[in-house]
Amino acid sequence: MNIIAFVGAGIIGTVLSVVLKQYKPEFGMYITLITGMLMLGAAVSAVKPALDMISSYMEIADPDSVYAEILIKTLAVCYLTQMAGESCSDAGETSIAAKIALAGKIAVVLIALPLFEKLMEVIKQLLV
């Protein structure tokens, strides 16, 4: 990922949004949302090779391991909900942003359920 292009796109999007908000506030919001989505797409595509490498290392270490998959899914949920929540907050919809954050937290718990199951198995083995 070219960080200079990434930062430049963010600055250009911000300037366009601020200028358009003076004349057409709804267009400023659209520019903010579009810039955020484009930046998120660029960031996700840039991090994909690193996630693939981590997954391959985890498969080598333990082929039956679900830890890498859970880690990657959890990180994806966290980043997506943060970006969506901030976009909603920028648009003035803090109530919706709070609901997105809550949904993200619930999703993380649901994704991590297999870890809780394994933890319970370990606890049972220690107690028996």
Side-chain angles (χ1 to χ4, degrees):
M1 176 171 74
N2 186 352
I3 192 68
I4 294 177
F6 193 79
V7 170
I11 291 171
I12 290 169
T14 301
V15 170
L16 283 173
S17 176
V18 168
V19 169
L20 283 175
K21 279 183 184 177
Q22 294 175 357
Y23 303 106
K24 296 278 189 175
E26 63 275 4
F27 289 146
M29 181 184 66
Y30 295 143
I31 293 293
T32 300
L33 292 174
I34 290 169
T35 302
M37 286 188 281
L38 290 173
M39 293 177 76
L40 178 65
V44 167
S45 66
V47 81
K48 186 168 179 1
L51 294 177
D52 291 340
M53 186 182 306
I54 291 170
S55 292
S56 67
Y57 288 156
M58 291 298 287
E59 287 176 10
I60 292 170
D62 185 5
D64 295 331
S65 177
V66 295
Y67 301 122
E69 182 180 338
I70 291 171
L71 174 67
I72 291 169
K73 284 182 180 180
T74 303
L75 286 172
V77 167
C78 290
Y79 286 132
L80 287 173
T81 55
Q82 181 179 0
M83 181 69 92
E86 288 174 359
S87 295
C88 290
S89 293
D90 289 344
E93 297 294 335
T94 55
S95 174
I96 295 173
K99 303 321 185 272
I100 290 173
L102 177 63
K105 291 172 186 174
I106 292 170
V108 167
V109 169
L110 293 175
I111 291 170
L113 281 178
L115 291 179
F116 293 128
E117 290 176 18
K118 287 188 183 253
L119 180 63
M120 291 307 293
E121 289 174 12
V122 170
I123 291 171
K124 284 180 186 177
Q125 290 175 354
L126 290 174
L127 292 176
V128 174

